Amino acid sequence: MVAVPAVSRGLEDVVALESRICFIDGVRGRLIYQGYDIRDLAAHSSFEEVAYLLWYGRLPTAPQLAELRGRLGALRALPPELVRQIDSMPVGSTPMDVLRTSVSALAMFEPSETGPGASSIGGAQRLTAVIPTILATFHRRRAGLPPLRERPDLSPAAYLLYALVDREPTELEARAMDVALILHADHELNASTFAARVTASTLSDLYSAVTSAIGTLKGPLHGGANERVMELLAAIGTPELAETVVKERLAKHERIMGFGHRVYKVEDPRATILREWSKKIGEAKGNLRYYELLRKVEEIVHREKGLYPNVDLYSGSVYSLLGISHDLFTPIFAASRVSGWTAHVLEEYQDLRLIRPTARYIGATDLAYLPLAQRTG
Ligand code: ACO
């Protein structure tokens, strides 16, 4: 008799592949990109430096970084056909849907990046450069803002803010966005990265893999959680009501977004850094309301459920204070995570093995086939 392997629901604790890109120590609360601690990267590096690290496996020299900055700046423009497509999308569309559809459509205009074997780093850089432009092209139309001007001189973080809020950010604002992008750039085999790798493992192209990943990130149990955190804060209103609202939701077995994690058993180190930035930006804007509410919610959820915050708890408060609409929070996550998705896809192509797990079948096997005319209901 053949032993039946145990089912791991949600693939929990299953080690599916080897990777050099990202390590999470869920017990000590550490996150490492290509050997470097996220705390050092958040304190000293930039998003483009981190993207280089993820793609090439080493930190860039100054000329290498300058070259990458130049290239990302030059790769931001959309083909006019795609601008027309975005302009024809309903203004009420969810920006994540716009992003998913636009990345998918972009593939048809850039066949050199999507043909068989076109797994080049060029496609990774193109997608990383272009996502903010896709988002801004849609958002500016619905918000009645003038069309986007090309600004190849701005860093990815400053460009994202400039494109979405229509003004040049201060140094502190640009740095807050830069840190947020660094913190979201990669996270081992999270659901969207896994989706990207599954797609790539069939030898499909990079743009298809990123399209799969965007659809996966959209869900509220993954990237969509940061938008829901702000909905919770709106429902709470004032700190005095936090206890009642949070306890009511827990009593109804509702999940409190921004808490809990499949891998971290302690506080997510990204949440620690974003908490500091939520306070810093709150102080700079003279608005500590979100920060104070979130601290209160954190205290209640930890006391009642023993859960720690994840990356999504504080990110929304930072973005809100930077003037960004709530439904752009998850797309901003994608604007950063695309660097990690593409690094993983390139790694997958280097060490390709079709990802194809099995299911334990629990259905029937010996039913007698009834001709259509004999079936009664
Ligand atoms: N609020 C309330 N209870 C929670 C939460 C939460 N946020 N997270 C976990 N729990 C509870 C579960 O109800 C469950 O309780 P039970 O054993 O009494 O049924 C227990 O903790 C374990 O939960 P699981 O769902 O088994 O944990 P899992 O590892 O599958 O979940 C997840 C991880 C999906 C992130 C979960 O913690 C969650 O839903 N959090 C809220 C959504 C969120 O913030 N997502 C962002 C994650 S980070 C990211 O993707 C970028």
Side-chain angles (χ1 to χ4, degrees):
M1 175 122 173
V2 183
V4 182
V7 173
S8 176
R9 290 187 69 238
L11 300 184
E12 187 162 359
D13 294 330
V14 170
V15 181
L17 50 88
E18 289 184 325
S19 174
R20 294 182 186 283
I21 299 172
C22 182
F23 172 61
I24 305 170
D25 183 337
V27 175
R28 291 189 189 81
R30 289 190 72 200
L31 172 58
I32 310 286
Y33 293 169
Q34 299 274 20
Y36 296 93
D37 194 298
I38 194 70
R39 287 170 293 207
D40 289 331
L41 294 170
H44 306 296
S45 73
S46 61
F47 172 64
E48 51 274 39
E49 198 176 334
V50 164
Y52 187 104
L53 174 67
L54 294 172
W55 290 326
Y56 295 98
R58 57 179 192 279
L59 286 170
T61 61
Q64 287 166 339
L65 185 59
E67 200 209 335
L68 178 63
R69 280 195 178 131
R71 211 171 317 140
L72 291 176
L75 286 171
R76 286 180 182 147
L78 298 181
E81 299 90 336
L82 183 56
V83 175
R84 281 199 291 278
Q85 283 199 8
I86 295 173
D87 284 347
S88 70
M89 292 175 189
V91 276
S93 305
T94 302
M96 279 302 270
D97 289 340
V98 172
L99 183 60
R100 187 198 56 232
T101 302
S102 301
V103 167
S104 178
L106 187 64
M108 290 176 281
F109 302 114
E110 299 183 349
S112 62
E113 297 296 353
T114 55
S119 56
S120 75
I121 202 113
Q125 293 174 353
R126 169 64 168 155
L127 288 174
T128 303
V130 90
I131 284 181
T133 312
I134 292 173
L135 295 173
T137 302
F138 172 70
H139 174 67
R140 295 174 77 96
R141 178 169 64 97
R142 71 174 181 173
L145 296 172
L148 189 59
R149 274 191 303 125
E150 284 196 26
R151 290 295 306 268
D153 54 310
L154 295 178
S155 71
Y159 175 66
L160 186 59
L161 272 173
Y162 157 78
L164 295 179
V165 297
D166 197 38
R167 69 178 169 79
E168 213 154 304
T170 64
E171 216 171 287
L172 187 77
E173 288 171 328
R175 183 62 194 151
M177 180 52 79
D178 209 12
V179 171
L181 295 178
I182 292 168
L183 297 178
H184 288 84
D186 198 46
H187 212 228
E188 200 226 44
L189 273 198
N190 59 91
S192 56
T193 302
F194 188 58
R197 288 193 77 137
V198 169
T199 304
S201 85
T202 70
L203 259 186
S204 186
D205 65 275
L206 187 67
Y207 286 41
S208 295
V210 170
T211 304
S212 300
I214 294 169
T216 309
L217 184 72
K218 186 183 167 195
L221 294 189
H222 191 10
N226 55 10
E227 295 177 22
R228 312 290 163 103
V229 170
M230 298 312 286
E231 286 167 17
L232 174 69
L233 294 195
I236 293 174
T238 58
E240 306 78 64
L241 286 177
E243 189 92 23
T244 315
V245 175
V246 172
K247 280 189 176 169
E248 262 173 22
R249 292 189 178 206
L250 288 175
K252 286 192 268 175
H253 301 288
E254 281 180 27
R255 282 171 189 242
I256 309 297
M257 296 293 148
F259 289 91
H261 201 275
R262 178 64 65 79
V263 184
Y264 293 115
K265 305 303 168 209
V266 292
E267 179 163 295
D268 180 335
R270 301 168 300 174
T272 316
I273 298 167
L274 282 169
R275 185 193 290 115
E276 289 162 16
W277 274 96
S278 175
K279 186 162 185 248
K280 206 182 285 190
I281 288 287
E283 281 167 350
K285 303 268 176 192
N287 177 3
L288 282 168
R289 198 178 135 257
Y290 296 135
Y291 172 78
E292 282 162 4
L293 264 181
L294 287 167
R295 290 295 284 163
K296 186 84 195 144
V297 172
E298 229 190 289
E299 181 223 309
I300 301 163
V301 173
H302 190 256
R303 179 188 352 117
E304 296 297 316
K305 295 286 289 184
L307 290 167
Y308 294 96
N310 61 47
V311 67
D312 283 318
L313 188 67
Y314 283 94
S315 59
S317 63
V318 174
Y319 301 150
S320 288
L321 289 166
L322 294 176
I324 295 170
S325 316
H326 291 186
D327 63 357
L328 290 168
F329 296 174
T330 313
I332 289 175
F333 193 152
S336 162
R337 184 59 58 87
V338 66
S339 59
W341 290 331
T342 50
H344 277 269
V345 168
L346 297 178
E347 189 180 61
E348 187 65 39
Y349 288 142
Q350 292 296 313
D351 185 23
L352 194 110
R353 173 92 179 140
L354 177 71
I355 298 174
R356 202 292 188 198
T358 50
R360 181 192 289 167
Y361 180 63
I362 56 168
T365 53
D366 296 315
L367 300 182
Y369 181 83
L370 273 186
L372 190 58
Q374 292 175 25
R375 290 176 220 155
T376 52

